[in-house]
């Protein structure tokens, strides 16, 4: 879609582009959402791809994902063998309601900052206990838990002009066993619920991440594996207002599916099933 209100595009922003921000600006990365709907309040685009941030930087401390890393690049990542949670990268990329053409442009940071309930990069990074590095317009930097970033449907903690610079997934999360469940109304449809459970090797703990069915990500932690009743009660105890409603499912439907799939995840991790 043509954005008819745009009068300027900054193709080569400074290495710390926050100081250039003014009202009516938008950060441009993949642009797959930005160019899909009218943007009457925008006057200028600042193209972050010109900064050429490293897309993926693996190290002994974990994985750093640049905000402008494309979904294609993340899907193509071959994680080290000891990152047994690495299979979640491809699974989460494949949860996008999009074509391979969109994968070539859409970015990890863009999906996170859109902050939609079904954003699979949110699911992935919350489940793997990531932290986000945010740059403010005054040059300051803050780091936040991925769980705390999204606050509701299409809402997050970013201040005006603040930008997501990078995502860091710790090595401790990448070495966990995992189980996941996702439900859609159609084969290639938007997620109605998307759950990921992780377990530390050599322990019986459980970290359950619930997304898509809720307006914001929910993380439920157990030091030891709960029984079915305790797990169900922890899901029932979530606030009524957290359950999402749209054409893909009612809050009651999503609550029911979350309970059902959480129990499947519990049993799979207890049985030592596929990671």
């Amino acid at each position: 879609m043509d954005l008819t209100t745009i009068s300027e595009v900054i193709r080569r922003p400074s290495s710390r582009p926050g100081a250039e921000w003014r009202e009516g600006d938008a950060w441009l990365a993949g642009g797959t959402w930005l160019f899909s709907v009218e943007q009457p309040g925008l006057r200028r685009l600042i193209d972050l791809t010109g900064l050429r941030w490293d897309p993926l930087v693996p190290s002994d401390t974990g994985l750093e994902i640049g905000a402008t890393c494309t979904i294609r690049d993340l899907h193509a990542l071959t994680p080290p063998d000891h990152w047994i949670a690495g299979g979640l990268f491809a699974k989460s990329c494949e949860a996008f309601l999009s074509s391979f053409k969109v994968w070539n442009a859409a970015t990890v940071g863009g999906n996170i900052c859109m902050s939609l309930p079904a954003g699979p990069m949110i699911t992935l990074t919350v489940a793997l206990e990531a932290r986000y590095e945010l740059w403010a317009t005054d040059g300051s930097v803050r780091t936040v838990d991925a769980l705390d970033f999204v606050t509701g449907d299409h809402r997050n903690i970013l201040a005006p002009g603040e930008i997501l610079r990078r995502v860091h997934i710790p090595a401790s999360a990448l070495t966990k066993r995992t189980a996941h469940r996702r439900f859609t109304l159609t084969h290639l449809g938007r997620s109605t619920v998307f759950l990921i459970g992780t377990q530390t090797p050599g322990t019986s703990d459980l970290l359950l991440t619930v997304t898509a069915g809720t307006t914001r990500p929910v993380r439920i932690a157990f030091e030891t594996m709960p029984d079915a009743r305790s797990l169900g009660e922890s899901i029932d105890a979530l606030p009524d207002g957290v359950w999402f409603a749209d054409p893909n499912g009612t809050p009651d439907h999503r609550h029911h599916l979350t309970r059902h799939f959480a129990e499947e995840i519990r049993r799979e991790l207890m049985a030592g099933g596929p990671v």
Side-chain angles (χ1 to χ4, degrees):
M1 173 179 288
D2 292 334
L3 300 182
T4 57
T5 62
I6 300 299
S7 58
E8 183 182 3
V9 178
I10 298 180
R11 293 293 186 185
R12 298 182 182 277
S14 63
S15 59
R16 293 298 297 260
E20 298 167 304
W21 179 268
R22 64 190 186 214
E23 187 176 355
D25 285 354
W27 301 116
L28 173 63
T32 54
W33 175 80
L34 194 62
F35 288 103
S36 70
V37 296
E38 293 183 10
Q39 308 286 352
L42 297 187
R43 300 293 178 268
R44 191 171 68 150
L45 302 178
I46 304 175
D47 187 356
L48 298 176
T49 60
L51 297 174
R52 301 192 180 281
W53 292 334
D54 291 334
L56 297 162
V57 183
S59 69
D60 291 342
T61 65
L63 178 65
E64 180 183 295
I65 306 174
T68 53
C69 174
T70 65
I71 304 307
R72 176 198 60 196
D73 286 344
L74 182 62
H75 188 267
L77 175 68
T78 301
D81 291 342
H82 66 283
W83 285 5
I84 58 177
L88 290 176
F89 295 132
K91 293 295 184 183
S92 298
C93 291
E94 290 160 8
F96 269 88
L97 178 59
S98 63
S99 69
F100 73 93
K101 294 180 181 179
V102 172
W103 281 20
N104 289 332
T107 63
V108 173
N111 186 249
I112 291 170
C113 292
M114 276 294 295
S115 302
L116 298 176
M121 296 298 98
I122 299 168
T123 310
L124 172 70
T125 55
V126 172
L128 293 183
E129 304 164 60
R131 295 186 67 78
Y132 300 162
E133 181 181 308
L134 310 179
W135 287 3
T137 55
D138 62 4
S140 61
V141 177
R142 60 172 172 152
T143 303
V144 300
D145 190 322
L147 179 67
D148 299 326
F149 183 80
V150 176
T151 58
D153 178 18
H154 205 39
R155 301 200 310 272
N156 58 49
I157 64 171
L158 286 174
E162 196 171 24
I163 190 171
L164 171 61
R165 168 60 184 89
R166 59 171 60 88
V167 175
H168 182 262
I169 299 176
S172 57
L174 289 165
T175 58
K176 289 188 173 185
R177 298 180 58 247
T178 70
H180 69 278
R181 295 293 187 277
R182 177 172 171 259
F183 177 86
T184 63
L185 291 178
T186 61
H187 177 59
L188 297 176
R190 178 170 293 183
S191 301
T192 299
V193 294
F194 192 178
L195 286 74
I196 295 176
T198 65
Q199 186 178 65
T200 307
T203 77
S204 63
D205 66 356
L206 173 64
L207 189 65
L208 180 69
T209 297
V210 178
T211 63
T214 51
T215 58
R216 56 175 174 79
V218 173
R219 192 192 281 158
I220 305 172
F222 299 90
E223 292 185 1
T224 58
M225 186 63 70
D227 57 24
R229 179 177 178 179
S230 298
L231 179 60
E233 288 176 347
S234 70
I235 293 169
D236 293 343
L238 296 178
D240 289 340
V242 80
W243 297 103
F244 186 50
D246 75 353
N248 295 289
T250 65
D252 286 346
H253 179 54
R254 286 175 149 118
H255 183 174
H256 168 75
L257 290 173
T258 298
R259 245 182 166 271
H260 173 76
F261 288 131
E263 174 58 13
E264 288 192 353
I265 287 172
R266 185 188 76 87
R267 292 183 181 183
E268 182 175 316
L269 290 175
M270 281 185 64
V275 297

